[in-house]
Amino acid sequence: MSTLVLDGGLSTHLETLGADLRDELWSARLLLENPELIRRVHTDYFVAGADVAITASYQASIPGFQKRGLELEEAARLIALSVELASQARDEAGAGLVAASVGPYGAYLANGAEYTGHYDLDEDGLVTWHRPRWEILMGAEPDLMAVETIPSYPEARALARLLDETPDVKAWISFSCRDGEHINDGTPIREAAALFMGNPQVVAVGANCTAPRHIPGLIESLHGGLPIVVYPNSGETWDPAGHRWEGLTDPVEYGQAAKEWQQAGASMIGGCCRTTPEHIAQIRAHVS
C-alpha cells in the first residue's frame, strides 16, 4: 500500500500567518473570526504535498462555542464549516481527502488534561459529550474522521461506541503517548488499539502529538494489527520560564525520520504541533 502524507500543524501555520491563538478555542477561534485563513492553511499544505487535510475542529465543540456566547445553531454551523473549508481547499488542489478532526475531551477543558487523560467524566459521560460534534461532523460529509490525540483508554472506549452507532463512518484512531509503548494515561498502546481490531470502519491506528523519538517504539508496538498512522510533533520542547520553543527539528531531518517510520511499517505519515508546510514537503520528498 502506498504511503498517505497527512498535513502538518494547523495552528503552527496559522500563527506563522499572523493569527493570535491565545484562547481556549485555539485554532477553532478562526472559524468564527477568519475562516479564509484556515482555508489558506489547508491550501498551503496541499501545495506542499499533503494527501489529507485535517479540519480545524480539534478544539471546536458545542459547549466551547456556547461559553463564547454563541447559540446552538451557530456553534453547529461553525463546526460544519471546518469541513467545508478543508473541502474547498481540496477541490482547488484537485485531489486529496478531508479528515474531520475529533479532538479529545481534554482539548475542550484547556487545562492540560489532553496530555494526561485525567478527566471528570466517565465513559458514558464521554460518549454523551462527544456525540453532538460527531454527528455534526458526520453530517458535513468528510471522507473520514481523524480521531486524534486520545490520551485515555475510557475515552477510546467511548469513541469506539460512537463508531458502532454510525456504521457508515470511516476513521483513524490516533493516541497521544508518553513513551514508545503507552498512551498518556499509562495504558499500553497495543491494548488501546485492540479496541478497534477487526472493525472495518477503522482505516488505521497510531500516534500523534507525541515526541518523534517515541515513534519507532510505537510502530513496533502496533505491528501485526491495523495499518499504522503517525504524525508526531516537531521534537521541540517548551521552555516555560523563557516562554519559547527550544530544539527545532529541521524539516529535512524530519523527512528523513519519516522515511524510517515508513520503512518500519507506517502507511500514513504527517506532522502535528510545530510542524509546517516545509516539514510536509520533506515527508513527501522522502516517502514518495
Side-chain angles (χ1 to χ4, degrees), residues 16-30:
T16 298
L17 296 175
D20 181 359
L21 304 183
R22 292 172 295 180
D23 190 279
E24 286 189 359
L25 288 174
W26 200 34
S27 57
R29 170 181 173 180
L30 275 297

PDB file of all heavy atoms in Angstrom, residues 16-30:
ATOM      1  N   THR A  16       2.102  31.392  12.013  1.00  0.00           N
ATOM      2  CA  THR A  16       3.087  31.918  11.072  1.00  0.00           C
ATOM      3  C   THR A  16       2.468  32.991  10.183  1.00  0.00           C
ATOM      4  O   THR A  16       3.128  33.977   9.823  1.00  0.00           O
ATOM      5  CB  THR A  16       3.641  30.780  10.189  1.00  0.00           C
ATOM      6  OG1 THR A  16       4.293  29.823  11.022  1.00  0.00           O
ATOM      7  CG2 THR A  16       4.631  31.304   9.161  1.00  0.00           C
ATOM      8  N   LEU A  17       1.193  32.809   9.868  1.00  0.00           N
ATOM      9  CA  LEU A  17       0.484  33.761   9.012  1.00  0.00           C
ATOM     10  C   LEU A  17      -0.124  34.925   9.797  1.00  0.00           C
ATOM     11  O   LEU A  17      -0.872  35.724   9.247  1.00  0.00           O
ATOM     12  CB  LEU A  17      -0.606  33.034   8.224  1.00  0.00           C
ATOM     13  CG  LEU A  17      -0.103  31.972   7.237  1.00  0.00           C
ATOM     14  CD1 LEU A  17      -1.265  31.228   6.595  1.00  0.00           C
ATOM     15  CD2 LEU A  17       0.787  32.598   6.170  1.00  0.00           C
ATOM     16  N   GLY A  18       0.180  34.997  11.099  1.00  0.00           N
ATOM     17  CA  GLY A  18      -0.209  36.159  11.886  1.00  0.00           C
ATOM     18  C   GLY A  18      -1.373  35.980  12.833  1.00  0.00           C
ATOM     19  O   GLY A  18      -1.761  36.936  13.514  1.00  0.00           O
ATOM     20  N   ALA A  19      -1.931  34.776  12.926  1.00  0.00           N
ATOM     21  CA  ALA A  19      -3.084  34.567  13.806  1.00  0.00           C
ATOM     22  C   ALA A  19      -2.652  34.514  15.271  1.00  0.00           C
ATOM     23  O   ALA A  19      -1.606  33.947  15.605  1.00  0.00           O
ATOM     24  CB  ALA A  19      -3.792  33.269  13.439  1.00  0.00           C
ATOM     25  N   ASP A  20      -3.449  35.080  16.131  1.00  0.00           N
ATOM     26  CA  ASP A  20      -3.248  35.018  17.579  1.00  0.00           C
ATOM     27  C   ASP A  20      -4.181  33.949  18.128  1.00  0.00           C
ATOM     28  O   ASP A  20      -5.403  34.116  18.121  1.00  0.00           O
ATOM     29  CB  ASP A  20      -3.546  36.377  18.209  1.00  0.00           C
ATOM     30  CG  ASP A  20      -3.341  36.393  19.724  1.00  0.00           C
ATOM     31  OD1 ASP A  20      -2.987  35.338  20.294  1.00  0.00           O
ATOM     32  OD2 ASP A  20      -3.528  37.465  20.327  1.00  0.00           O
ATOM     33  N   LEU A  21      -3.613  32.855  18.606  1.00  0.00           N
ATOM     34  CA  LEU A  21      -4.426  31.720  19.057  1.00  0.00           C
ATOM     35  C   LEU A  21      -4.403  31.551  20.579  1.00  0.00           C
ATOM     36  O   LEU A  21      -4.743  30.485  21.074  1.00  0.00           O
ATOM     37  CB  LEU A  21      -3.927  30.430  18.380  1.00  0.00           C
ATOM     38  CG  LEU A  21      -3.904  30.444  16.854  1.00  0.00           C
ATOM     39  CD1 LEU A  21      -3.463  29.091  16.316  1.00  0.00           C
ATOM     40  CD2 LEU A  21      -5.263  30.822  16.281  1.00  0.00           C
ATOM     41  N   ARG A  22      -4.047  32.595  21.288  1.00  0.00           N
ATOM     42  CA  ARG A  22      -4.013  32.519  22.761  1.00  0.00           C
ATOM     43  C   ARG A  22      -5.434  32.608  23.294  1.00  0.00           C
ATOM     44  O   ARG A  22      -5.916  33.667  23.698  1.00  0.00           O
ATOM     45  CB  ARG A  22      -3.132  33.639  23.316  1.00  0.00           C
ATOM     46  CG  ARG A  22      -1.652  33.468  22.989  1.00  0.00           C
ATOM     47  CD  ARG A  22      -0.850  34.675  23.384  1.00  0.00           C
ATOM     48  NE  ARG A  22      -1.225  35.856  22.603  1.00  0.00           N
ATOM     49  CZ  ARG A  22      -0.677  37.057  22.753  1.00  0.00           C
ATOM     50  NH1 ARG A  22       0.249  37.250  23.659  1.00  0.00           N
ATOM     51  NH2 ARG A  22      -1.086  38.082  22.001  1.00  0.00           N
ATOM     52  N   ASP A  23      -6.098  31.462  23.270  1.00  0.00           N
ATOM     53  CA  ASP A  23      -7.531  31.420  23.534  1.00  0.00           C
ATOM     54  C   ASP A  23      -7.918  29.980  23.824  1.00  0.00           C
ATOM     55  O   ASP A  23      -7.291  29.060  23.296  1.00  0.00           O
ATOM     56  CB  ASP A  23      -8.280  31.919  22.285  1.00  0.00           C
ATOM     57  CG  ASP A  23      -9.748  32.149  22.526  1.00  0.00           C
ATOM     58  OD1 ASP A  23     -10.495  31.153  22.503  1.00  0.00           O
ATOM     59  OD2 ASP A  23     -10.155  33.305  22.737  1.00  0.00           O
ATOM     60  N   GLU A  24      -8.942  29.768  24.644  1.00  0.00           N
ATOM     61  CA  GLU A  24      -9.393  28.411  24.932  1.00  0.00           C
ATOM     62  C   GLU A  24      -9.879  27.689  23.683  1.00  0.00           C
ATOM     63  O   GLU A  24      -9.833  26.460  23.608  1.00  0.00           O
ATOM     64  CB  GLU A  24     -10.504  28.428  25.989  1.00  0.00           C
ATOM     65  CG  GLU A  24     -10.007  28.721  27.394  1.00  0.00           C
ATOM     66  CD  GLU A  24     -11.080  28.513  28.447  1.00  0.00           C
ATOM     67  OE1 GLU A  24     -12.226  28.164  28.074  1.00  0.00           O
ATOM     68  OE2 GLU A  24     -10.782  28.696  29.640  1.00  0.00           O
ATOM     69  N   LEU A  25     -10.371  28.429  22.688  1.00  0.00           N
ATOM     70  CA  LEU A  25     -10.829  27.802  21.449  1.00  0.00           C
ATOM     71  C   LEU A  25      -9.682  27.452  20.517  1.00  0.00           C
ATOM     72  O   LEU A  25      -9.874  26.724  19.553  1.00  0.00           O
ATOM     73  CB  LEU A  25     -11.806  28.735  20.715  1.00  0.00           C
ATOM     74  CG  LEU A  25     -13.186  28.884  21.334  1.00  0.00           C
ATOM     75  CD1 LEU A  25     -13.975  29.954  20.585  1.00  0.00           C
ATOM     76  CD2 LEU A  25     -13.952  27.564  21.322  1.00  0.00           C
ATOM     77  N   TRP A  26      -8.496  27.999  20.756  1.00  0.00           N
ATOM     78  CA  TRP A  26      -7.297  27.731  19.968  1.00  0.00           C
ATOM     79  C   TRP A  26      -7.595  27.969  18.482  1.00  0.00           C
ATOM     80  O   TRP A  26      -8.148  28.991  18.129  1.00  0.00           O
ATOM     81  CB  TRP A  26      -6.797  26.322  20.263  1.00  0.00           C
ATOM     82  CG  TRP A  26      -5.366  26.065  19.917  1.00  0.00           C
ATOM     83  CD1 TRP A  26      -4.320  26.955  19.986  1.00  0.00           C
ATOM     84  CD2 TRP A  26      -4.817  24.828  19.456  1.00  0.00           C
ATOM     85  NE1 TRP A  26      -3.163  26.329  19.606  1.00  0.00           N
ATOM     86  CE2 TRP A  26      -3.428  25.040  19.273  1.00  0.00           C
ATOM     87  CE3 TRP A  26      -5.349  23.573  19.182  1.00  0.00           C
ATOM     88  CZ2 TRP A  26      -2.578  24.035  18.817  1.00  0.00           C
ATOM     89  CZ3 TRP A  26      -4.517  22.568  18.743  1.00  0.00           C
ATOM     90  CH2 TRP A  26      -3.149  22.792  18.563  1.00  0.00           C
ATOM     91  N   SER A  27      -7.250  27.045  17.608  1.00  0.00           N
ATOM     92  CA  SER A  27      -7.452  27.283  16.168  1.00  0.00           C
ATOM     93  C   SER A  27      -8.930  27.417  15.807  1.00  0.00           C
ATOM     94  O   SER A  27      -9.275  28.060  14.806  1.00  0.00           O
ATOM     95  CB  SER A  27      -6.799  26.168  15.351  1.00  0.00           C
ATOM     96  OG  SER A  27      -7.297  24.899  15.722  1.00  0.00           O
ATOM     97  N   ALA A  28      -9.831  26.827  16.598  1.00  0.00           N
ATOM     98  CA  ALA A  28     -11.267  26.926  16.312  1.00  0.00           C
ATOM     99  C   ALA A  28     -11.762  28.364  16.393  1.00  0.00           C
ATOM    100  O   ALA A  28     -12.803  28.704  15.827  1.00  0.00           O
ATOM    101  CB  ALA A  28     -12.057  26.041  17.275  1.00  0.00           C
ATOM    102  N   ARG A  29     -11.030  29.223  17.081  1.00  0.00           N
ATOM    103  CA  ARG A  29     -11.391  30.641  17.146  1.00  0.00           C
ATOM    104  C   ARG A  29     -11.457  31.249  15.748  1.00  0.00           C
ATOM    105  O   ARG A  29     -12.271  32.140  15.471  1.00  0.00           O
ATOM    106  CB  ARG A  29     -10.357  31.361  18.004  1.00  0.00           C
ATOM    107  CG  ARG A  29     -10.434  32.872  18.000  1.00  0.00           C
ATOM    108  CD  ARG A  29      -9.335  33.431  18.884  1.00  0.00           C
ATOM    109  NE  ARG A  29      -9.224  34.869  18.816  1.00  0.00           N
ATOM    110  CZ  ARG A  29      -8.328  35.577  19.496  1.00  0.00           C
ATOM    111  NH1 ARG A  29      -7.483  34.969  20.296  1.00  0.00           N
ATOM    112  NH2 ARG A  29      -8.286  36.883  19.388  1.00  0.00           N
ATOM    113  N   LEU A  30     -10.607  30.770  14.843  1.00  0.00           N
ATOM    114  CA  LEU A  30     -10.557  31.331  13.491  1.00  0.00           C
ATOM    115  C   LEU A  30     -11.764  30.924  12.660  1.00  0.00           C
ATOM    116  O   LEU A  30     -12.069  31.573  11.655  1.00  0.00           O
ATOM    117  CB  LEU A  30      -9.268  30.908  12.792  1.00  0.00           C
ATOM    118  CG  LEU A  30      -8.015  31.757  13.050  1.00  0.00           C
ATOM    119  CD1 LEU A  30      -8.200  33.172  12.540  1.00  0.00           C
ATOM    120  CD2 LEU A  30      -7.624  31.759  14.522  1.00  0.00           C
TER     121      LEU A  30
END
